[in-house]
Amino acid sequence: MRRLTALVTVALLAAGGVAGCGSDDEANRYVGQVNEAQEAFAGTVKQLETGISATSTPEQDRRTLTRFRGAVDDVVARLRRIDPPGEVAQLHQRLTSVIGRYGTEIDRFKTAAGSSNPQRVLAAETDFKARVSRISADINGAIKQINDELGAS
């Protein structure tokens, strides 16, 4: 049985895994393709995660956030190219859409973090973390539903 590990970014996404059925070639192909997308994404994220630190400049932070946004866009594009088994097609679309919301939140945060007002920046950080937490919960839910559906087939 192949296992689909959850997509992670900036150590803010904590999701479970999706398992393919041992004898279902279509499900295993699907899980394998999503694993490949996840592994590429995780590799990029690992390279980027040290880019924003207490010693980085605001300009360096903006460049790193732009690269994170690019990584989100890349994984979403890869996921959209995957042809999921029919029983999880809508769930796969939901998962892809939810992951895409990270990009929207990165853009929102990047704009707010560019403020010269430290209170606005702090509020933006707090808001960003809360929104990312909600997205993570939604991803967990989508993965659980995919797992349930693949396990039922």
Side-chain angles (χ1 to χ4, degrees), residues 58 62 65 108-117 120-121 124-125:
R62 281 189 292 278
L65 286 168
R108 180 189 319 250
F109 176 66
K110 196 164 100 173
T111 299
S115 172
S116 59
N117 179 332
R120 183 168 183 229
V121 173
E125 288 176 7

Side-chain angles (χ1 to χ4, degrees), residues 2-42:
R2 295 188 69 181
R3 187 152 178 84
L4 170 65
T5 56
L7 302 164
V8 295
T9 186
V10 200
L12 297 173
L13 175 70
V18 175
C21 299
S23 62
D24 187 337
D25 289 340
E26 184 181 23
N28 283 328
R29 177 197 48 78
Y30 167 70
V31 169
Q33 289 175 327
V34 177
N35 269 335
E36 288 173 14
Q38 176 272 331
E39 288 166 10
F41 182 62

Side-chain angles (χ1 to χ4, degrees), residues 44-66:
T44 301
V45 167
K46 186 170 178 69
Q47 292 172 349
L48 294 174
E49 66 188 356
T50 59
I52 297 177
S53 69
T55 60
S56 58
T57 67
E59 181 57 35
Q60 289 170 324
D61 293 347
R62 281 189 292 278
R63 282 196 304 266
T64 300
L65 286 168
T66 297

